[in-house]
Amino acid sequence: MDKQNLETITFGGGCFWCVDSVLDLLKGVESTTSGYAGGHKANPTYEEVCTGETGHAEVVKLTYDPKIISYEQLMDVFFFLHDPTQLNRQGNDIGTQYRSVIFYKDDTEKANAESAIKTSEATGKYSGKYVTEITKLEEFYPAEQYHQGYYEINPNQPYCSAVVGPKIVKFKKHFGELGMLREDARY
């Protein structure tokens, strides 16, 4: 991996345990960090974000090598992982903290996010209009350490075994057939 030319992207599509766990399986992904973004409270805690009153979403900041995995491929993964037509919820996770959101750093990234939404909407995978927000990244706050790599450490936790595990199986089947998975994946 070319560490000098790494890029980052931050997005949210429901519970960050789900998003983080599958992104770590992709070739070209250097690292993932679960965190919070898009709100008004500095240095929020998980408990505060869960109230829905901080304005923050649960997000994952992803560092990747664009020579190995493209922005477009990452957007395909992002839209595969959640339903971008559901406003402020994914499955039983309900609240603004679970909203579908792509954060951008500059006008180029904003245009790329807008294009990715149009491209994904055109596939017809989901019926209905996408509600994915495109928002300028003002600040990213890493989540507490116990949230980092949560599924890997807690695969038998009830939420993980009922929600995250099946999502990983579905993801590995689809993206494994496309040859996008790391050979050294931990689970």
Side-chain angles (χ1 to χ4, degrees):
M1 202 172 297
D2 183 0
K3 301 224 185 240
Q4 292 182 347
N5 293 310
L6 296 177
E7 299 282 338
T8 62
I9 184 169
T10 302
F11 46 62
C15 173
F16 51 30
W17 296 345
C18 294
V19 178
D20 173 71
S21 63
V22 294
L23 294 174
D24 267 342
L25 300 173
L26 291 168
K27 287 180 186 175
V29 171
E30 159 76 14
S31 66
T32 59
T33 305
S34 293
Y36 315 110
H40 53 80
K41 176 149 184 9
N43 301 305
T45 66
Y46 179 69
E47 290 75 20
E48 291 169 332
V49 172
C50 284
T51 68
E53 295 176 11
T54 66
H56 288 292
E58 289 190 14
V59 298
V60 174
K61 181 178 180 181
L62 171 78
T63 303
Y64 68 100
D65 185 338
K67 292 179 182 171
I68 299 172
I69 188 165
S70 69
Y71 179 88
E72 292 77 18
Q73 288 172 310
L74 288 171
M75 287 294 101
D76 287 345
V77 169
F78 172 67
F79 291 119
F80 182 88
L81 292 177
H82 77 294
D83 182 346
T85 66
Q86 289 189 343
L87 184 62
N88 298 329
R89 76 174 295 160
Q90 290 300 309
N92 290 328
D93 295 328
I94 300 170
T96 58
Q97 67 270 31
Y98 301 114
R99 67 188 179 270
S100 177
V101 59
I102 302 169
F103 288 95
Y104 66 90
K105 295 183 285 288
D106 56 35
D107 289 341
T108 300
E109 284 188 4
K110 181 180 182 183
N112 289 342
E114 290 168 346
S115 176
I117 288 173
K118 286 180 187 170
T119 299
S120 185
E121 267 185 324
T123 68
K125 177 181 176 188
Y126 298 101
S127 61
K129 180 141 180 64
Y130 282 30
V131 294
T132 303
E133 293 178 13
I134 300 173
T135 303
K136 178 131 176 99
L137 180 63
E138 300 296 336
E139 188 73 43
F140 170 82
Y141 299 98
E144 295 81 352
Q145 186 57 42
Y146 72 91
H147 288 296
Q148 308 304 328
Y150 191 85
Y151 176 79
E152 183 180 1
I153 299 164
N154 302 286
N156 296 320
Q157 189 264 10
Y159 183 90
C160 288
S161 58
V163 178
V164 183
K167 188 173 282 209
I168 289 172
V169 169
K170 180 180 170 186
F171 177 82
K172 286 172 80 172
K173 181 176 184 336
H174 180 77
F175 287 94
E177 291 172 359
L178 297 175
M180 292 176 61
L181 300 182
R182 302 166 77 121
E183 293 177 16
D184 65 343
R186 297 180 293 257
Y187 42 84

